[in-house]
């Protein structure tokens, strides 16, 4: 299928010339272009039009999961008939393996994997290998090791009616594809045998495929809804990919294990020569234990540290990543488009991953916790990343030095189709002075006026603790306030932003996540506390980006609390006023009356929740109001329902009610 943009919007303002210039640049072979688009000018819509013109698979990279989720939803709205997928780190919690020589402290790797995000990652790679009309919206997770796409594709099976296999052979095939057998409810990557049928839940869909057998062939294929058990379809064929991205055939595994043993012997000899007997013993015990597990069950804890051997890579050679799953020309050159969103943040992030990872791994190797090949389980360095991506378009309201130096052309998109102008900026003192009562009280006074008119308020602080404390203080003063920062889980962040847009609370307090890319047209007031504290969070770029959060509302305004005019404040205010004047002149010339952006509010967290979490969420939506009226009665009824479920051995329902009780009690504590 071709990319087909589905929208009743037509390019306006600076968008038509920006689209034309960017498409022309791609056709001329430009490798680096920058779209300098102000907040609210429709950079995503411009990029979508470029995708439709060039008709190439596209990778969109965002600097955090929240922004990536928002972009994925926007691209799905623009391309409902095409494959738009979301690819981010699947860890809800991640503590990397590390060793601190100063205190002789070893920290074991600890991770909690989000199964639903893992499913979405598989959906991304499988789409890339089976169709051409694919857009993947990813975080910097896309530059981390993923496993060979050739092996992943090689192991996949085309299963159709008449496929020559029997039930026993199919079970062995599924095990060889890293699917796990279960007798309980199916989850992605699992299968079960029921009589003469086999039921499989693939890694990329929330559905069950039931295979019926007749003799030595598949006689029936039924696609079933995993929750209702209703029959969705009876397809003639479907494609089944392995349950893990790291796939190693038996012969390759034997070769890899020999390589690991040889490297172990070399490193042990090196340690003994240097008199590092403790390190030698530590490495010998760890590696031999891992090899025994790999031989018996095919994997071990930390198996990714041996990925170089399983992939057949040379020392120092770059790992396979998501980028390798995108199409390439016959001579191996990338044949896809790359859009780097909010590039002034994303580019430095892409460039900084390699050094930090390498430093940690080198310490582990030097002290005998890992083999030297562990350093090759790593993200790409920036030079490797550049070689593996296609033609790039950077989008930002404040491009960084790299974009300015590398781009063969910079396309400005300053005029907004909506006629919206950059917000008015008001500077007020931090400490109590004249008629101003100090930044916090003055902000409360301003926020109350805005909220009374039905709009929302954003306020940014310098630290996470300040955000939490301010949120509590505002709540005590009668404002409905919540905070958001990097310690909040991905799904929870997105859910908080959705509630904010819906008006379930009025004031959102944050640190750094309230800057780039967040699309919140309901926000009328943005307040920046301690705006004169020079640094990363109060640099020219950061200030312009934060000011931009008020640029999607016709009544948008910004209050900067500062006791002195810093260089960053002067530049940010000057650039904002320049853009404001350009837009006002355009509006006068074309007789445009600015209008607040109208944007449908969608719950983009639903697809990230597991079936269990989604059920709990649905129950909460129903029971929350009842709980507010009579919490004791609701909790008593819920506990009785949980006990009743346990008595009839319905543990799944009991677990759902248990988690709903915990969530209701959490609401009570707040």
């Amino acid at each position: 299928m071709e990319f087909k943009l589905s929208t009743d919007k037509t390019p306006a303002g600076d968008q038509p010339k920006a689209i034309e210039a960017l498409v022309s640049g791609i056709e001329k072979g430009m490798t680096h272009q920058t779209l300098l688009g102000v907040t609210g000018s429709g950079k995503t819509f411009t990029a979508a039009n470029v995708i439709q013109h060039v008709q190439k698979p596209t990778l969109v990279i965002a600097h955090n999961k929240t922004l990536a989720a928002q972009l994925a939803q926007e691209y799905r709205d623009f391309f409902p008939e095409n494959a738009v997928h979301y690819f981010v780190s699947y860890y809800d919690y991640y503590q990397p393996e590390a060793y601190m020589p100063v205190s002789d402290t070893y920290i074991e790797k600890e991770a909690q994997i989000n199964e639903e995000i893992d499913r979405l990652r598989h959906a991304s790679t499988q789409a890339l290998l089976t169709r051409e009309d694919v857009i993947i919206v990813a975080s910097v997770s896309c530059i981390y090791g993923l496993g060979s796409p050739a092996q992943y594709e090689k192991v996949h099976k085309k299963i159709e009616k008449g496929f020559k296999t029997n039930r026993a052979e199919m079970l062995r095939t599924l095990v060889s594809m890293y699917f796990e057998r279960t007798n309980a409810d199916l989850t992605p990557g699992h299968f079960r045998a029921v009589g003469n049928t086999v039921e499989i839940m693939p890694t990329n869909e929330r559905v069950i495929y039931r295979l019926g057998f007749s003799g030595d062939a598949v006689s029936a294929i039924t696609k079933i809804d995993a929750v209702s058990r209703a029959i969705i379809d009876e397809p003639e064929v479907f494609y089944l990919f392995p349950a893990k991205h790291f796939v190693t055939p038996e012969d390759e595994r034997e070769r890899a294990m020999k390589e690991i043993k040889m490297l172990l012997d070399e490193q042990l000899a090196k340690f003994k020569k240097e008199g590092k007997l403790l390190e030698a013993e530590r490495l010998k015990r760890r590696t031999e234990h891992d090899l025994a597990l790999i031989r018996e069950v095919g994997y071990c804890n930390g198996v990714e540290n041996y990925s170089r051997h399983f992939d057949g890579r040379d020392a120092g050679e770059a790992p396979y990543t998501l980028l390798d799953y995108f199409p390439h020309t016959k001579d191996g050159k990338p044949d896809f488009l790359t859009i780097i969103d909010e590039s002034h943040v994303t580019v430095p992030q892409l460039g900084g991953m390699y050094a930090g990872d390498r430093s940690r791994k080198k310490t582990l190797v030097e002290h005998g916790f890992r083999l030297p090949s562990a350093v090759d389980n790593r993200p790409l360095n920036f030079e490797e990343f550049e070689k593996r991506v296609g033609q790039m378009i950077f989008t930002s309201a404040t491009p960084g030095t790299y974009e300015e130096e590398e781009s063969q052309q910079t396309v400005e998109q300053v005029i907004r189709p909506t006629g919206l102008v950059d917000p008015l900026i008001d500077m007020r003192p931090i400490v109590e002075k004249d008629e101003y009562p100090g930044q916090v009280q003055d902000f409360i006074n301003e926020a109350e006026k805005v909220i009374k008119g039905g709009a929302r308020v954003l306020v940014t602080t310098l630290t996470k603790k300040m955000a939490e404390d301010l949120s509590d203080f505002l709540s005590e003063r009668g404002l409905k306030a919540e905070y958001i920062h990097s310690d909040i889980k991905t799904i929870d962040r997105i859910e908080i932003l959705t509630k904010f847009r819906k008006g379930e609370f009025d004031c959102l307090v944050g640190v750094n996540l309230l800057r780039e890319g967040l699309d919140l047209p309901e926000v009328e007031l943005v307040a920046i506390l301690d705006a004169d504290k020079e640094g990363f969070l109060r640099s020219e770029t950061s200030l312009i980006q934060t000011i931009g959060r008020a640029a999607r509302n016709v009544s948008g305004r910004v209050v900067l609390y500062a006791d002195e005019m810093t260089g960053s404040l002067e530049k940010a205010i000057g650039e904002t006023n320049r853009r404001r004047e350009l837009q006002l002149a355009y509006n006068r010339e074309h007789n445009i009356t600015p209008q607040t952006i109208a944007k449908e509010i969608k719950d983009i967290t639903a697809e990230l929740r597991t079936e269990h979490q989604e059920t709990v969420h649905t129950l909460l939506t129903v029971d929350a109001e009842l709980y507010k009226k009579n919490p004791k009665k609701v909790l008593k009824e819920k506990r009785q329902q949980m006990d009743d479920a346990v008595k009839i051995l319905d543990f799944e329902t009991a677990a759902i009610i248990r988690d709903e009780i915990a969530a209701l009690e959490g609401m009570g504590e707040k």
Side-chain angles (χ1 to χ4, degrees), residues 162-171 173 213-218:
F163 179 63
K164 295 297 179 183
T165 187
N166 56 38
R167 177 181 175 277
E169 286 175 350
M170 177 55 68
L171 298 185
T173 297
F213 296 88
S214 178
D216 287 334
V218 174

Side-chain angles (χ1 to χ4, degrees), residues 6 47 96 101 116 149 194 201 217 223 247 299 312 322 336 344 361 387 517 525 534 549 562 632 637 640 652 670:
S6 177
E116 202 57 26
V194 184
M201 184 175 285
K223 188 177 181 180
V247 178
Y299 63 91
L322 177 70
F336 61 97
H344 62 284
K361 295 273 179 56
K387 289 178 180 176
L525 172 67
E534 281 275 23
R549 296 316 102 207
K632 288 184 179 178
E637 289 177 355
Q640 184 60 53
E652 187 175 347
K670 290 179 183 177

Side-chain angles (χ1 to χ4, degrees), residues 64 66-67 70 456 458 482 484 490-503 505 508 513-514 518-520 522 601-602 604-605:
N64 67 51
T66 310
L67 179 55
Q70 179 178 296
R456 315 277 191 278
L458 286 183
E482 290 198 27
I484 186 171
T490 307
I491 292 177
D492 293 337
R493 284 184 224 164
I494 300 167
E495 199 162 55
I496 287 168
L497 290 169
T498 303
K499 286 179 180 177
F500 180 57
R501 290 199 62 202
K502 288 179 177 177
F505 64 96
L508 182 60
L513 292 173
L514 302 184
L518 291 182
D519 194 350
L520 306 167
E522 297 79 14
I601 302 171
K602 294 188 176 182
I604 55 179
T605 59

Side-chain angles (χ1 to χ4, degrees), residues 219 342 449 512 644 646:
S219 58
E342 303 296 350
K449 295 175 191 173
N512 198 27
D644 291 343
V646 170

Side-chain angles (χ1 to χ4, degrees), residues 391-408:
Q391 292 172 288
M392 286 193 279
I393 296 175
F394 307 106
T395 69
S396 174
T398 52
T401 305
Y402 174 82
E403 298 94 285
E404 291 172 356
E405 291 177 352
E406 296 295 323
S407 291
Q408 286 130 308

Side-chain angles (χ1 to χ4, degrees), residues 349-365:
Q349 212 178 65
L350 288 164
M353 294 294 158
Y354 173 79
D357 183 84
R358 187 171 182 82
S359 175
R360 179 175 57 83
K361 295 273 179 56
K362 281 184 72 177
T363 304
L364 288 167
V365 171

